[in-house]
Amino acid sequence: QVQLKESGGGLVQAGDSLRLSCATSLRSLSSALMGWFRQAPGLEREFVAASSWNWTAARLYYAPSVRGRFTISRDNAKNTVYLQMNSLRPEDTAVYYCALASSGAMYSSTGSYGYWGQGTQVTVSS
């Protein structure tokens, strides 16, 4: 059973930065599609960013609302994925989840991901 555990959430002010981490129990991240999603109260879970790996480099995908502010990265040696969030806005407030899918899956669809972490709360005050 694969386990994912997020950390790094918290309460910040608008304009601040946070870095989320997702530690996995995988033996190797090299064939995995890793995604970050978020869910605000009363709303559906939405895609934030994803990273696939093609043996030599990562391919990165972002939702339009976070492109240019958020950066997804991975450390294959540590089997950990990160989400660097800069210039945070109140509308970024949500529970953030990391998720794992097989390589080649549709990166923006929640249905592609078979494993999920429990989430970490990010609250951005104005």
Side-chain angles (χ1 to χ4, degrees), residues 4 8 12 28 32 37 48 52 58 61 72 75 79 91 96 98 103 117 119:
L4 309 176
V12 297
S28 173
F37 290 76
V48 175
S52 63
Y61 311 92
I72 186 172
D75 185 331
N79 295 328
E91 54 263 40
Y96 283 71
C98 71
S103 179

Side-chain angles (χ1 to χ4, degrees), residues 39-44:
Q39 188 166 20
L43 299 180
E44 292 187 354

Side-chain angles (χ1 to χ4, degrees), residues 6-12 18-21 85 94 96 120-123:
E6 304 92 340
S7 62
L11 171 63
V12 297
L18 277 176
R19 188 176 83 154
L20 306 183
S21 300
M85 305 186 296
Y96 283 71
T120 184
Q121 176 71 47
V122 172
T123 303

Side-chain angles (χ1 to χ4, degrees), residues 46-57:
E46 66 173 3
F47 168 73
V48 175
S51 169
S52 63
W53 184 260
N54 68 352
W55 300 108
T56 58

